[in-house]
Amino acid sequence: MSKAKTRSIGILTAGGDCPGLNAAIRSIGKAALGTHGIEVVGISAGFYGLITNQTRRLRESDFSGILTQGGTILGSSREKPFAEKDDDALSGHKPEMIRENYDKLHLDCLVCIGGNGTQTTAWRLSQMGLNVMGLPKTIDNDLAETDFCFGFYSAVDVCTEAIDRLHTTAHSHNRIMVLETMGHKAGWLALYSGVAGGGDVILIPELPYSPEKIAEHLIDRARKGKQFSIVVVAEGAKSVKEAGSKTKMKIKGSKPSAGYRVAAEIEKLTRMETRVTVLGYLQRGGIPSPMDRALATAMGTEAVKLMIAGEYNRMASMKAGEITSVPLEAVAGKTRKVPAGHPLIESARMVGTCLGD
Ligand code: F6P
């Protein structure tokens, strides 16, 4: 363990935004500057702001009144300083520029609040000799070595409310309502909100689906008098055929998204009237839920505790209900998917939910 004393830190938020980022910034700011007198530098727009030195010294007043605010007061970007294919004129020089600005700012540690890409970049910076600290945020909840990431609970709330609202209109019109959620390549958001909202079918990328099995389930429900159904589809969901196909799925925008593909199959096989709702960025916007505020605050103070102790290159994490931390090396480059034996999958099956497999 290093004996270094942390006197000055930088904070950045990178990747897609989510509710709880400001709660985390506030937590780190209040604990570091307010309680321990550590200087805090805010870096604008993720790693882009560190490459271009868009930074400012944050004051205690910057951390007031932001706990409940969505988005991030620092701004974010999807800048990937180590990207190999990068048309930018600065390409190839970005890691060095980050190191120069880190030194110029006299930082003892760089706090990187973000998802998979951000934590991987943070780890690579640690390999260059920078001290870094990670905080896991993403509505996708797909970071390795943590059971939950902040942002996820708020997104589950939004998706669940959408399912509740779709239920009443589905019932009135005897329709099949397909709801497409985000989640990237993982099914956490669709699974949690689908179970919470009582989805009749839940499709996640981890379990390739058979359109025939979905149709069978919907027809069976109709025979039993339930003429409407809710189908929750994760954006990364694939049919067995798509999952087995050697040709990579076409990039976003060039083919209908998962919700539309599933809806087309359902209409073809069941002849039931089907409608699609793609929730999109509504899932990432707005105020953080109480759980996300608490999680972001607890993870923020965990990071400050580590930095005070001179322990770097770790990510705050939640494991089995406890706030702890893990080495960044164990997180970098990994994606945490829903395991086939996850208890919520079992619960969904036991209450009669079709998972399409
Ligand atoms: O990482 C969160 C996420 O919301 C994913 O679920 C989604 O695929 C992606 O970001 C889209 O975000 P953007 O358009 O900002 O790249």
Side-chain angles (χ1 to χ4, degrees):
M1 191 177 90
S2 158
K3 288 270 185 303
K5 186 166 180 325
T6 304
R7 291 175 307 269
S8 174
I9 62 171
I11 310 184
L12 58 80
T13 50
D17 73 337
C18 72
L21 287 170
N22 286 327
I25 294 168
R26 169 185 176 271
S27 167
I28 296 164
K30 285 195 179 249
L33 178 62
T35 308
H36 291 281
I38 296 169
E39 284 184 356
V40 182
V41 175
I43 297 154
S44 302
F47 292 104
Y48 184 74
L50 199 49
I51 294 165
T52 53
N53 205 4
Q54 293 179 49
T55 60
R56 70 186 167 101
R57 177 77 34 89
L58 297 177
R59 289 172 308 187
E60 287 193 50
S61 57
D62 289 309
F63 308 121
S64 285
I66 61 169
L67 175 63
T68 61
Q69 271 177 27
T72 160
I73 57 163
L74 297 174
S76 190
S77 72
R78 291 216 181 258
E79 172 64 51
K80 292 189 176 77
F82 292 97
E84 277 162 23
K85 285 182 203 154
D86 192 344
D87 301 333
D88 200 315
L90 303 177
S91 181
H93 307 286
K94 292 175 179 178
E96 260 325 300
M97 293 171 86
I98 288 181
R99 187 212 296 271
E100 274 167 29
N101 286 324
Y102 176 95
D103 289 341
K104 248 190 237 164
L105 291 163
H106 302 292
L107 299 181
D108 295 314
C109 187
L110 173 67
V111 182
C112 302
I113 312 178
N116 283 316
T118 304
Q119 303 310 331
T120 304
T121 300
W123 175 72
R124 291 194 66 174
L125 291 173
S126 77
Q127 297 299 292
M128 289 171 50
L130 275 65
N131 292 329
V132 297
M133 185 65 63
L135 252 74
K137 69 83 213 172
T138 167
I139 67 162
D140 302 337
N141 206 40
D142 61 350
L143 265 122
E145 298 296 323
T146 184
D147 294 342
F148 291 101
C149 305
F150 58 84
F152 176 65
Y153 292 110
S154 309
V156 169
D157 286 356
V158 173
C159 296
T160 304
E161 189 189 342
I163 297 170
D164 292 346
R165 288 178 183 275
L166 288 173
H167 253 113
T168 58
T169 173
H171 198 184
S172 306
H173 289 267
N174 282 337
R175 280 175 176 159
I176 308 297
M177 288 293 188
V178 174
L179 176 74
E180 182 185 302
T181 71
M182 281 187 169
H184 202 46
K185 291 180 180 159
W188 297 106
L189 191 48
L191 179 64
Y192 271 75
S193 59
V195 169
D200 304 296
V201 178
I202 301 173
L203 305 178
I204 61 174
E206 293 84 349
L207 300 175
Y209 64 84
S210 143
E212 289 74 22
K213 292 223 171 105
I214 300 169
E216 226 173 83
H217 186 78
L218 298 176
I219 292 167
D220 188 51
R221 269 177 59 82
R223 275 204 203 103
K224 290 175 178 154
K226 289 172 179 165
Q227 305 286 338
F228 72 95
S229 286
I230 307 290
V231 180
V232 183
V233 183
E235 66 178 343
K238 288 177 188 169
S239 67
V240 175
K241 200 169 145 201
E242 287 166 345
S245 157
K246 288 217 172 65
T247 47
K248 259 190 138 189
M249 296 253 287
K250 284 184 201 157
I251 47 160
K252 254 184 194 172
S254 61
K255 91 184 251 187
S257 64
Y260 285 98
R261 299 200 305 276
V262 169
E265 300 268 22
I266 290 174
E267 282 209 315
K268 189 175 83 189
L269 296 170
T270 66
R271 307 253 162 237
M272 290 173 178
E273 196 179 13
T274 306
R275 294 286 189 272
V276 181
T277 302
V278 178
L279 265 183
Y281 295 89
L282 289 173
Q283 292 160 98
R284 267 171 39 180
I287 61 167
S289 71
M291 277 300 288
D292 275 336
R293 295 177 204 181
L295 186 60
T297 303
M299 286 179 163
T301 53
E302 174 71 14
V304 173
K305 271 193 253 169
L306 290 166
M307 291 187 286
I308 286 167
E311 281 191 52
Y312 305 118
N313 308 335
R314 300 185 70 79
M315 184 186 81
S317 143
M318 184 196 235
K319 283 193 167 180
E322 301 280 337
I323 299 293
T324 179
S325 70
V326 292
L328 263 178
E329 192 178 359
V331 179
K334 296 192 186 133
T335 303
R336 192 176 69 103
K337 300 215 177 178
V338 181
H342 191 276
L344 211 50
I345 291 187
E346 198 191 341
S347 297
R349 291 194 201 282
M350 284 181 73
V351 297
T353 309
C354 168
L355 289 148
D357 59 337

